[in-house]
Amino acid sequence: MAGLTLKVTNRSRKGLKGLPSSIEVPNDATVEDAKKAIARAAKVSDHNRIGIFDPVSRKTIKDRNSLLRDQVEVVKRGELLVKDLGPQIGWRLVYVVEYLGPLIFHPLFLGLRDHLYPAVWPLIKNHLPYAPQYNSELSSTQKLAFAIIMAHFVKRELETLFLHKFAANTMPFAYVFRNSFFYWTFAGLLGSLELYAPFSPAALAPEEPTILTYVGLALYFIGEVANFDVHWYLAHLRKPGETARKIPRGHGFGIVTCPNYMYEIIAWIGIILVTRSPTLLVFILIGTYYMYIWAWGKEKNYRAQFGDKYKKKRSVILPGLL
């Protein structure tokens, strides 16, 4: 079967030095195969630096395992747009670093509780939005908050290391700082600084579990288990050796575009009900905004790729809302 001969064009003005005018690849070549061929010709040591873009939309072709022959405009025009993406870092490592922040900060502030907060209490007690109270003992709600938050991020780390499959190998190195800032700052630094304070809402919560606690725990466990179920399903959606993208079905995909995001939000609503934490509420509100944007991008991709085979969704992460 005849291969593909594709013109190679720099996407940016600066351009990649040594770029070949064209490449020849087998008919069954993937996007990653094209990256490797271009990297060899241009003498670029890391083929992950090579970004390949659609010649019409000029958007990156993210799925490294997709076949070049399935890229309609690439085949129609016989052209690839190429850009040097700069130093790269593995997607898996980026996620590991992201989720590491909360796993560091929560034990840290729990350990510093008896040393940090007595020093700052006199300075802030008259500036709290509620009647100042100080609970020197760690409350049952704070202990529970520590357990469920640590369990959540341990789960995320284990999924990243052993379950998730990534369409791209790497991302630009600088992104690790941008991506980590959100988790390290809100779920990590600010979240733990507030939660374990002797004057936080969690510290002043009733010692015996309330209906709010039980509802929160129910939502947390439902969200975590269902989220894992979706991640497991997506990781095994393609059989070994398959490269074509598939329409996910069941597991909540009939309700919203990205049920993993829906269940993630449900789990965090549960955490917030248990902890009474305003900081974690801000964290998940910001997170929901970004998940909504990502989910709409996924919805648009499904519509463009599968056409009438795909049932369009009006809600992408929360039924009837978002």
Side-chain angles (χ1 to χ4, degrees):
M1 188 177 291
L4 297 172
T5 300
L6 300 171
K7 178 183 176 183
V8 179
T9 306
N10 267 309
R11 186 178 184 275
S12 61
R13 291 182 179 180
K14 186 178 180 181
L16 181 67
K17 295 180 180 179
L19 193 68
S21 59
S22 65
I23 58 168
E24 293 185 10
V25 293
N27 190 59
D28 60 352
T30 63
V31 170
E32 183 155 28
D33 292 332
K35 289 186 175 189
K36 291 178 178 178
I38 293 169
R40 282 195 300 269
K43 298 181 179 179
V44 175
S45 58
D46 182 8
H47 72 276
N48 291 305
R49 291 181 64 130
I50 304 296
I52 292 183
F53 299 78
D54 185 284
V56 176
S57 69
R58 301 180 69 86
K59 292 182 178 180
T60 182
I61 303 175
K62 295 181 179 180
D63 189 351
R64 60 192 171 94
N65 295 314
S66 64
L67 296 174
L68 282 175
R69 68 176 185 232
D70 292 337
Q71 306 300 320
V72 178
E73 295 299 337
V74 169
V75 175
K76 181 179 179 181
R77 295 176 177 265
E79 181 182 17
L80 291 172
L81 297 185
V82 175
K83 181 181 178 181
D84 182 359
L85 301 177
Q88 299 288 294
I89 184 172
W91 272 79
R92 198 176 305 277
L93 180 57
V94 170
Y95 279 108
V96 168
V97 172
E98 281 183 18
Y99 304 143
L100 188 60
L103 292 174
I104 291 173
F105 280 115
H106 282 264
L108 175 65
F109 280 101
L110 192 62
L112 292 174
R113 187 177 190 272
D114 293 336
H115 306 283
L116 172 64
Y117 299 106
V120 301
W121 172 245
L123 303 175
I124 67 171
K125 64 180 181 179
N126 295 324
H127 302 284
L128 295 174
Y130 47 84
Q133 300 178 57
Y134 190 97
N135 184 3
S136 59
E137 296 295 324
L138 197 67
S139 73
S140 59
T141 297
Q142 288 176 310
K143 294 175 184 177
L144 183 58
F146 179 79
I148 61 178
I149 290 171
M150 292 295 288
H152 172 80
F153 285 106
V154 168
K155 167 185 171 289
R156 296 294 291 269
E157 291 283 33
L158 292 175
E159 287 177 337
T160 298
L161 291 171
F162 302 111
L163 182 62
H164 290 326
K165 296 178 181 178
F166 300 96
N169 272 334
T170 62
M171 66 171 69
F173 181 78
Y175 285 14
V176 69
F177 302 103
R178 181 197 69 180
N179 291 17
S180 298
F181 176 82
F182 175 60
Y183 281 95
W184 282 60
T185 301
F186 288 95
L189 174 63
L190 298 179
S192 56
L193 184 63
E194 177 232 314
L195 267 179
Y196 307 115
F199 40 85
S200 70
L204 304 178
E207 202 54 31
E208 292 297 321
T210 65
I211 185 65
L212 200 65
T213 305
Y214 289 120
V215 171
L217 284 175
L219 291 175
Y220 171 78
F221 284 113
I222 291 170
E224 294 289 354
V225 171
N227 177 265
F228 174 78
D229 173 68
V230 174
H231 287 165
W232 179 272
Y233 169 70
L234 289 175
H236 298 87
L237 185 59
R238 293 181 190 174
K239 295 179 181 179
E242 289 184 336
T243 57
R245 294 187 67 189
K246 293 183 176 181
I247 300 174
R249 304 182 188 280
H251 305 267
F253 283 97
I255 305 171
V256 293
T257 310
C258 296
N260 50 322
Y261 292 163
M262 175 177 67
Y263 297 132
E264 176 84 2
I265 293 168
I266 289 172
W268 275 102
I269 290 173
I271 291 174
I272 292 163
L273 291 179
V274 169
T275 63
R276 286 85 163 163
S277 171
T279 304
L280 295 182
L281 176 60
V282 172
F283 166 75
I284 196 55
L285 286 175
I286 297 173
T288 298
Y289 168 77
Y290 283 107
M291 285 188 278
Y292 176 74
I293 293 174
W294 298 331
W296 260 116
K298 182 75 71 174
E299 175 69 16
K300 291 177 182 177
N301 287 339
Y302 282 146
R303 293 180 183 184
Q305 183 166 5
F306 297 110
D308 293 337
K309 295 179 181 179
Y310 177 71
K311 183 179 179 181
K312 297 179 181 179
K313 311 289 191 313
R314 290 186 177 182
S315 300
V316 292
I317 58 174
L318 292 175
L321 297 174
L322 297 172

